[in-house]
Amino acid sequence: MPASHAPDLAGPPPRSPPAIVAIFVSVGVAATILYFVLASSTSVILQVSPSISSVVAYLLSAVFSYCGHKYLSFTSSGAHTIEAPRFVVTTTLGLLIAYLLPLAAERMGLPHFVAYAAVCLVVPMVNFVLLKRWVFRIGNSPHEAVFAGGSTGRLLAWGLVISCVAFVIQLTMWPINPDTSWLITVIERMRAGDRLYVDVIELNPPSSIWLYWVPVLLSRPIGLLPESVVYAYTLLICLGGVAMTGWIIRSGNLITGRALAQAMALMLVSAALLVGNSFSERDHIGAVLLTPLIALTAWRGSGSAGLAPRHWLAAGFAGGVIALVKPYYAVVVFAAATYVVVRRRDIGLFLLPEFLIAGGMSVAYMAVFYLAYPIYFEELLPILRETYMAFSWPLDLLAVLAAPLLVIPVVYGIFARSGGRSIFGDLLLICAGAACIPYFTQGKGWAYHTYPAVYLGSVAVIVAACKLVFDRPGPAVRLPKLAEIAGLTLMALVAAHWRFFPDHAASRDLATAVRGQTSSPTVGMLGGDIAAGHPLARMLGGRWIEPYCSDWIAIFALRLEDEALRQGDGERAGYFKDMLNRYLAGKRERLTEAPPEILIVDRGDRLVRMMLAEHGFDRLLANYAMTGADKELEVYRLANPTVVEPHDMAVQDGIVTLLRVRLMRPPFFKSVEVAG
């Protein structure tokens, strides 16, 4: 009797990667042909509109694509309830990329065929990675991690996918923020020969400019817009900061298992996507680079062994950046150092090498700054003290604007009590609280001033949630509990980030309409808000000829005059009124001598209404014709462009042009004169 053969339970042998790619491409091509046939036949046979037939054909071809990839490309035996929703997410992401890439190419000034070629390359690559690593991965279950595995290559792949998506969304959803746009303009002016703090006046120390110098410098030889290169540069910083944080976390065993991969992915989403219109702000970059130092401090506090010089060198240099771009944030580094000193009961830990590196960077920078730009300390800083730095919003208003951040410690506390607490999470929350101090110290209430507190607090919530779900003993978290944790995490992140989402810049339609009527025009502005002129001036393709970003001296003088009047201090009010009048007289004279081809007018600004009604700027505006408006922001074009003077005449006197006259200080101000 012949021997019977046992059934083969091992399944088909695994296919080689080239075979998988070939089948993947074949299924994709077949789905495309099916879509074309169905769309054409449905429109003719059923006599429906092309849009309806296209939708029906797309849905049917998507079903075919799902089945083809599940059973042919990846031979998955996973449950439809898990894989079908993931397939829908992947398909939606592909559509989003296909929609946004042409918009991104347009913003970067690239030809349309480049965008279409990018769609043909990027979308299949993203789909293949997601389908293979996520949608049809063998062993899918409701409790598995979204970003499975912890190998360096796999984490890097996910990081690149998230970064690419973030790059496209940031480039298309939000124009570059006003501060970064202005700093790009400053760098271009310096490259053209203008002197910093003399011909072009930036309020901040030079580290703010040095931070963007390399990407702006690279933009010209590679033929891309500086904004695009700055976006990519900022994303690389985000990716590097998160990767360095994950490296230190893994080395110090602060988070173990699958929780690390999930935490790193969500940290990158927070750093690159949720930041919204504050993307590429100095506060944004500094906060992301500060996280490795906080992770290293948590490692120190835990007492774990294995720490090597490469760890404290990397964390020290990265963490020192935030104090360079904003000295206020040195308090966060001090808070982290204090934590490890108290926890280990050793005051000598203030002299740990990472803290010495961060502090040494700040001291060396200030020395170089003073030697390179003494004019900042001697002439500009006294003006800043009297205007920009002297004004702040009421404390109660600042507290109201920051109130949504309270959701972070509340949610973290909920997770901590359930088992999500860690030394890293605790330290992040402490540092987030310390980062609120500069927000209240600066007193301007601007959203990006809260970003370090928001980011560090968000990472604390992310770490706690991931530890609670993926790094715990016992059975996996049940779906109801998983949904609760995900919901609380999402609520905390959205509530903390909501102020970064609105786009306050002028509309692109306005910029397109005006740009079609001019070619590389000179641009000036009437208004005290930097956001009125930037990035609009760059969106117009214009050359900013003002020596400063806005009429900030005038707007703060006006606010401080109002404040002095409310306090009954007539002498102080008179001083600021005199400062306002002298500044506006100098500006009117300068714009009359060298009128810009394009003049941006912020009608919603009380200062501008005063300039037009009381200071003679209405006569200047009479030489212009309106070319476009966006709500209260108006753009005017000079009626006779031949009268425009060379750029140098508008800014030749530097600080003297800024003020035009010597500002005499009354007794309640420090006696420092401005050269006249």
Side-chain angles (χ1 to χ4, degrees):
M1 183 176 181
S4 61
H5 294 282
D8 184 7
L9 301 178
R15 292 193 298 266
S16 63
I20 295 175
V21 172
I23 297 175
F24 173 82
V25 172
S26 300
V27 171
V29 171
T32 303
I33 295 173
L34 179 63
Y35 163 79
F36 177 79
V37 172
L38 289 175
S40 303
S41 59
T42 303
S43 179
V44 174
I45 296 173
L46 301 182
Q47 295 295 307
V48 296
S49 65
S51 58
I52 294 178
S53 62
S54 178
V55 170
V56 172
Y58 183 83
L59 292 176
L60 293 175
S61 61
V63 173
F64 170 83
S65 179
Y66 170 75
C67 295
H69 289 312
K70 178 177 175 63
Y71 297 113
L72 298 177
S73 301
F74 305 106
T75 59
S76 171
S77 58
H80 292 294
T81 55
I82 302 301
E83 295 179 341
R86 293 182 177 183
F87 181 82
V88 171
V89 171
T90 301
T91 303
T92 304
L93 179 61
L95 287 174
L96 182 64
I97 294 174
Y99 170 73
L100 292 178
L101 271 179
L103 292 178
E106 181 181 351
R107 304 287 185 266
M108 297 167 68
L110 298 175
H112 290 301
F113 74 86
V114 174
Y116 301 145
V119 169
C120 294
L121 290 174
V122 173
V123 173
M125 289 174 60
V126 170
N127 284 345
F128 182 81
V129 171
L130 292 178
L131 291 175
K132 187 176 189 301
R133 295 295 185 185
W134 184 45
V135 178
F136 299 121
R137 187 168 54 85
I138 296 175
N140 280 332
S141 73
H143 307 298
E144 281 195 321
V146 176
F147 301 94
S151 68
T152 302
R154 190 172 296 164
L155 291 176
L156 180 60
W158 277 114
L160 292 175
V161 169
I162 295 172
S163 298
C164 290
V165 172
F167 176 80
V168 175
I169 292 178
Q170 284 289 349
L171 199 61
T172 54
M173 294 294 292
W174 295 280
I176 202 158
N177 68 74
D179 291 325
T180 306
S181 179
W182 163 245
L183 291 172
I184 292 174
T185 299
V186 171
I187 294 170
E188 291 182 338
R189 291 271 296 269
M190 291 174 65
R191 290 176 60 190
D194 284 352
R195 297 163 295 173
L196 182 61
Y197 306 127
V198 177
D199 302 314
V200 57
I201 312 300
E202 160 59 12
L203 280 68
N204 294 285
S207 59
S208 299
I209 298 159
W210 298 343
L211 188 64
Y212 306 99
W213 189 272
V214 171
V216 175
L217 194 68
L218 288 175
S219 63
R220 181 174 296 180
I222 63 179
L224 295 177
L225 296 176
E227 289 83 351
S228 304
V229 184
V230 168
Y231 272 120
Y233 161 80
T234 306
L235 275 171
L236 285 176
I237 291 176
C238 292
L239 186 60
V242 171
M244 192 185 304
T245 304
W247 168 57
I248 293 175
I249 289 173
R250 174 181 285 177
S251 301
N253 202 32
L254 299 174
I255 305 175
T256 58
R258 294 175 298 169
L260 176 59
Q262 321 313 308
M264 290 179 63
L266 293 176
M267 284 166 58
L268 185 57
V269 169
S270 177
L273 278 173
L274 297 183
V275 64
N277 199 36
S278 292
F279 186 81
S280 79
E281 283 278 8
R282 292 157 294 155
D283 309 63
H284 170 223
I285 292 174
V288 173
L289 291 178
L290 179 62
T291 318
L293 179 61
I294 296 175
L296 185 74
T297 306
W299 186 357
R300 295 276 195 186
S302 68
S304 299
L307 196 146
R310 62 180 181 275
H311 297 114
W312 52 257
L313 279 171
F317 281 111
V321 171
I322 196 167
L324 298 187
V325 297
K326 284 288 186 72
Y328 300 97
Y329 293 119
V331 68
V332 184
V333 179
F334 180 76
T338 303
Y339 173 84
V340 74
V341 165
V342 172
R343 184 177 178 89
R344 301 289 298 275
R345 294 179 175 85
D346 183 359
I347 196 171
L349 296 180
F350 276 122
L351 300 179
L352 285 171
E354 57 268 25
F355 301 137
L356 292 178
I357 289 173
M361 287 172 61
S362 300
V363 172
Y365 162 69
M366 290 304 297
V368 172
F369 177 19
Y370 185 80
L371 293 174
Y373 297 104
I375 190 174
Y376 182 90
F377 296 90
E378 297 167 3
E379 298 184 356
L380 184 58
L381 188 57
I383 304 170
L384 291 172
R385 287 174 181 155
E386 295 182 3
T387 54
Y388 176 83
M389 297 170 67
F391 181 83
S392 63
W393 293 110
L395 186 61
D396 54 348
L397 177 58
L398 295 173
V400 169
L401 292 174
L405 272 65
L406 293 174
V407 72
I408 287 178
V410 171
V411 172
Y412 181 80
I414 294 172
F415 291 165
R417 287 195 301 270
S418 302
R421 184 177 182 181
S422 66
I423 185 173
F424 183 40
D426 288 351
L427 183 55
L428 283 166
L429 202 62
I430 291 171
C431 291
C436 290
I437 297 175
Y439 165 76
F440 287 101
T441 301
Q442 294 174 90
K444 302 301 184 291
W446 297 327
Y448 70 90
H449 283 177
T450 66
Y451 186 77
V454 169
Y455 179 69
L456 298 178
S458 299
V459 174
V461 170
I462 288 169
V463 167
C466 291
K467 187 175 187 299
L468 192 59
V469 175
F470 302 109
D471 189 14
R472 61 196 303 273
V477 179
R478 299 180 66 84
L479 279 178
K481 183 66 175 179
L482 185 63
E484 177 186 341
I485 295 171
L488 286 172
T489 303
L490 181 62
M491 178 190 69
L493 296 183
V494 172
H497 288 83
W498 72 273
R499 289 190 66 200
F500 306 131
F501 297 152
D503 177 9
H504 301 293
S507 70
R508 291 189 173 99
D509 292 339
L510 170 63
T512 302
V514 176
R515 190 166 185 165
Q517 305 176 44
T518 61
S519 177
S520 301
T522 54
V523 182
M525 186 180 77
L526 305 183
D529 185 2
I530 185 176
H534 309 275
L536 179 57
R538 301 188 62 79
M539 294 165 69
L540 297 174
R543 294 180 291 114
W544 187 262
I545 65 167
E546 301 268 19
Y548 35 78
C549 61
S550 69
D551 297 318
W552 55 269
I553 289 182
I555 195 67
F556 283 110
L558 180 60
R559 291 173 178 174
L560 290 164
E561 178 192 354
D562 292 342
E563 182 180 278
L565 289 174
R566 288 195 300 269
Q567 297 171 352
D569 190 340
E571 183 183 8
R572 190 165 181 263
Y575 171 74
F576 284 115
K577 184 175 182 63
D578 184 59
M579 177 187 288
L580 174 67
N581 291 338
R582 291 174 183 271
Y583 172 85
L584 293 181
K587 181 182 177 76
R588 185 182 63 249
E589 179 183 347
R590 177 169 50 79
L591 292 185
T592 301
E593 293 175 355
E597 295 174 75
I598 293 293
L599 189 63
I600 300 170
V601 180
D602 186 2
R603 292 276 187 177
D605 192 333
R606 174 193 167 199
L607 171 66
V608 174
R609 295 194 295 269
M610 180 183 296
M611 293 167 71
L612 295 173
E614 304 174 17
H615 294 272
F617 284 86
D618 55 330
R619 295 190 296 273
L620 174 71
L621 198 59
N623 298 319
Y624 287 81
M626 185 188 295
T627 60
D630 180 13
K631 298 178 181 177
E632 295 181 314
L633 192 66
E634 299 173 349
V635 179
Y636 292 82
R637 183 165 59 89
L638 189 64
N640 185 10
T642 58
V643 303
V644 177
E645 299 289 341
H647 163 69
D648 290 344
M649 294 188 64
V651 294
Q652 61 183 349
D653 295 324
I655 293 293
V656 180
T657 302
L658 179 66
L659 299 178
R660 305 298 292 183
V661 293
R662 178 178 296 142
L663 297 177
M664 302 302 296
R665 273 91 176 144
F668 47 82
F669 284 119
K670 184 178 180 181
S671 179
V672 180
E673 291 188 355
V674 177

